[in-house]
Amino acid sequence: MIEELNRIPETYLKHIENTDGLYEIRVQQGSDIFRIFCFFDQGEIVVLMNAFQKKDQKTPRKEIEKAIKIKKEYEIDKENGFV
């Protein structure tokens, strides 16, 4: 299901606390809930990263660390002109 909204509720897009611009997109398909990490590149591009199926209330720390690592690699590649 796709919805058009002027402002995205935190139910769908939430900032991950204690991170520098890391967000979590929530997608539900039937009874399954998936999370996709993302960040904004200069407010113009949404960069999607790793995803996982969430089974507990709390987001696994290893998934957050993985997303932070991917974001840093993206920023380094962009600085070096590879993106």
Side-chain angles (χ1 to χ4, degrees):
M1 180 171 138
I2 297 175
E3 294 182 41
E4 266 187 51
L5 304 169
N6 289 331
R7 184 180 171 111
I8 301 170
E10 196 171 285
T11 305
Y12 300 116
L13 180 69
K14 179 176 131 181
H15 179 256
I16 302 296
E17 292 181 18
N18 303 316
T19 67
D20 182 26
L22 186 63
Y23 291 83
E24 182 181 81
I25 299 170
R26 179 183 186 271
V27 178
Q28 184 168 352
Q29 178 63 40
S31 62
D32 295 325
I33 299 173
F34 301 92
R35 307 292 188 187
I36 306 166
F37 287 111
C38 68
F39 63 93
F40 296 89
D41 183 349
Q42 298 180 356
E44 297 177 15
I45 299 172
V46 177
V47 180
L48 302 177
M49 297 181 291
N50 54 313
F52 64 98
Q53 187 172 6
K54 190 166 183 180
K55 298 182 182 197
D56 297 323
Q57 277 299 92
K58 195 163 181 148
T59 301
R61 186 72 205 157
K62 73 175 192 162
E63 294 293 342
I64 294 172
E65 289 168 0
K66 184 178 183 180
I68 290 170
K69 181 181 177 201
I70 293 168
K71 183 176 184 284
K72 285 179 183 174
E73 289 171 357
Y74 174 91
E75 290 167 346
I76 289 168
D77 285 349
K78 186 170 180 179
E79 229 176 72
N80 293 321
F82 298 126
V83 175

